[in-house]
Amino acid sequence: MTFNNHQEAEENGHNHTDVKNISSTRLFWVIVLNFGITLAQILGGIISGSLSLISDALHNFTDAISIIISYIAIKLSSKETSLIHTFGLKRAEILAAFINSAVLVGISCYLFVEAVKKFISPTHITGSLMLIVAIIGLTGNLISIFLLESHSKQNINIKSAYLHMLADAITSVAVIAGAIGIIFFKIYWIDPLLTILIGLYVLKESYSILKKSTHILMQGTPAEISPEDIKTNIEKLDNVKNVHHIHMWALNEDDIFLEAHVELSDVMLSETCKIKDKIDEIVKEYKIMHTTVQFETDVCCNKNILN
């Protein structure tokens, strides 16, 4: 006998409809800003002869593309369920976060290579024009950060886009510092040094998102939940003899699923409904809002926590 329970997310204090609508609107303007910054940096780089500005322009262009992916993912994740996609497309956001963070790791490695090249062969640039274009880029990045910051704490996909913008802002600051050093002190080595520091920061932040999104995509057990604790607490209920064959996974950051076999004493059918209600109350404390419980009496030979 199997019981399903899908409690509304609002019961757990999470209502993400408004967040996603606002986030998608803000992502749209962040995309517009980044394409504008990219164009300004390419023109500035060509006129001033600054390879670093052109490289930063390519960085911004890559970020704009990644944010487009995030924008599309949010739209997809809000679609209703269907017979083809019974879970809907909620995992699109996690997939986008995975792609974005993987791209950031690649960009970090690219920055390291370019920094070494600049240490070996410093390039001459017009510092004044570099400074002006870098300030324009920083302004656009700061506006983008402001648009995304509040939602980056609630959504891993928005956080990956936010980190893209934060990394760009830090890059712009580095370019500004480099331009000042070139204008006044002719310190060409400061640019690759700052590039390496930026790359290390981006690598650290993007790796954490890559690790978390990979864990979700591989249907790993949410890190903050212990299957053993859930098993122990359920087995404390009257008429529950054993809990086994537990499976737990997260569809996205908010929707956690649990399925398990629960061996009962030989009780009446009406009693199983009461037991299921108590189980729902237990798992709700772990923020699990979707449960599938199979009640049985001495059916499974293997009664380990995993099958």
Side-chain angles (χ1 to χ4, degrees):
M1 182 182 302
T2 304
F3 285 81
N4 295 296
N5 181 57
H6 301 281
Q7 302 178 52
E8 293 296 329
E10 286 79 2
E11 292 181 23
N12 196 32
H14 297 284
N15 188 342
H16 295 273
T17 302
D18 292 338
V19 171
K20 290 182 178 179
N21 288 337
I22 295 172
S23 296
S24 61
T25 301
R26 294 189 177 192
L27 277 176
F28 171 78
W29 288 111
V30 171
I31 292 168
V32 172
L33 278 171
N34 270 266
F35 277 123
I37 294 170
T38 298
L39 180 60
Q41 288 179 324
I42 289 176
L43 292 176
I46 293 173
I47 295 172
S48 67
S50 171
L51 179 61
S52 61
L53 274 179
I54 295 176
S55 298
D56 196 32
L58 295 176
H59 187 188
N60 274 287
F61 179 76
T62 302
D63 288 349
I65 296 300
S66 70
I67 294 172
I68 289 175
I69 295 173
S70 298
Y71 181 83
I72 294 173
I74 286 178
K75 290 297 184 182
L76 289 176
S77 66
S78 64
K79 288 186 176 294
E80 298 294 331
T81 58
S82 66
L83 293 177
I84 298 176
H85 299 101
T86 56
F87 284 108
L89 297 173
K90 294 181 180 180
R91 190 161 275 185
E93 288 190 81
I94 302 301
L95 182 60
F98 172 82
I99 294 172
N100 285 347
S101 56
V103 169
L104 277 171
V105 171
I107 289 174
S108 299
C109 296
Y110 169 77
L111 289 174
F112 294 145
V113 173
E114 290 301 308
V116 172
K117 290 180 180 179
K118 289 182 180 180
F119 269 123
I120 297 173
S121 302
T123 56
H124 176 75
I125 60 176
T126 305
S128 57
L129 182 56
M130 175 183 174
L131 179 62
I132 293 171
V133 176
I135 291 173
I136 294 173
L138 177 61
T139 302
N141 293 146
L142 291 176
I143 294 173
S144 298
I145 288 172
F146 173 76
L147 290 172
L148 297 178
E149 195 274 336
S150 60
H151 300 308
S152 67
K153 300 173 183 177
Q154 306 171 36
N155 184 289
I156 189 175
N157 189 37
I158 299 299
K159 183 177 181 180
S160 66
Y162 168 77
L163 287 174
H164 274 283
M165 294 301 97
L166 185 60
D168 283 345
I170 296 173
T171 301
S172 294
V173 171
V175 174
I176 290 172
I180 293 174
I182 290 170
I183 292 171
F184 294 102
F185 307 106
K186 306 299 181 183
I187 305 176
Y188 292 99
W189 54 263
I190 193 172
D191 183 50
L193 175 62
L194 292 172
T195 300
I196 291 175
L197 295 176
I198 292 167
L200 289 172
Y201 170 78
V202 173
L203 188 63
K204 174 181 176 295
E205 294 298 318
S206 57
Y207 176 75
S208 64
I209 294 179
L210 183 63
K211 181 179 179 181
K212 183 175 181 179
S213 59
T214 300
H215 187 72
I216 293 175
L217 289 172
M218 295 302 292
Q219 295 186 302
T221 301
E224 67 277 9
I225 302 177
S226 168
E228 291 88 350
D229 288 347
I230 292 178
K231 171 181 168 67
T232 299
N233 288 330
I234 295 177
E235 288 179 344
K236 292 178 181 178
L237 296 175
D238 292 337
N239 293 312
V240 173
K241 298 172 65 177
N242 180 266
V243 179
H244 52 278
H245 297 184
I246 294 177
H247 296 280
M248 294 179 58
W249 70 97
L251 185 62
N252 52 29
E253 285 188 287
D254 307 305
D255 298 311
I256 301 175
F257 287 72
L258 166 69
E259 63 178 30
H261 291 195
V262 178
E263 183 179 8
L264 302 178
S265 303
D266 193 2
V267 298
M268 296 181 63
L269 180 61
S270 58
E271 289 297 315
T272 62
C273 295
K274 297 177 183 178
I275 295 172
K276 179 59 171 61
D277 289 339
K278 293 178 181 178
I279 291 175
D280 289 339
E281 288 299 317
I282 291 173
V283 300
K284 187 178 179 181
E285 295 178 4
Y286 296 87
K287 299 182 180 180
I288 300 172
M289 310 306 289
H290 309 270
T291 58
T292 300
V293 175
Q294 179 174 314
F295 289 132
E296 58 190 39
T297 301
D298 198 23
V299 173
C300 294
C301 296
N302 178 4
K303 297 180 183 180
N304 297 325
I305 190 171
L306 301 176
N307 65 338

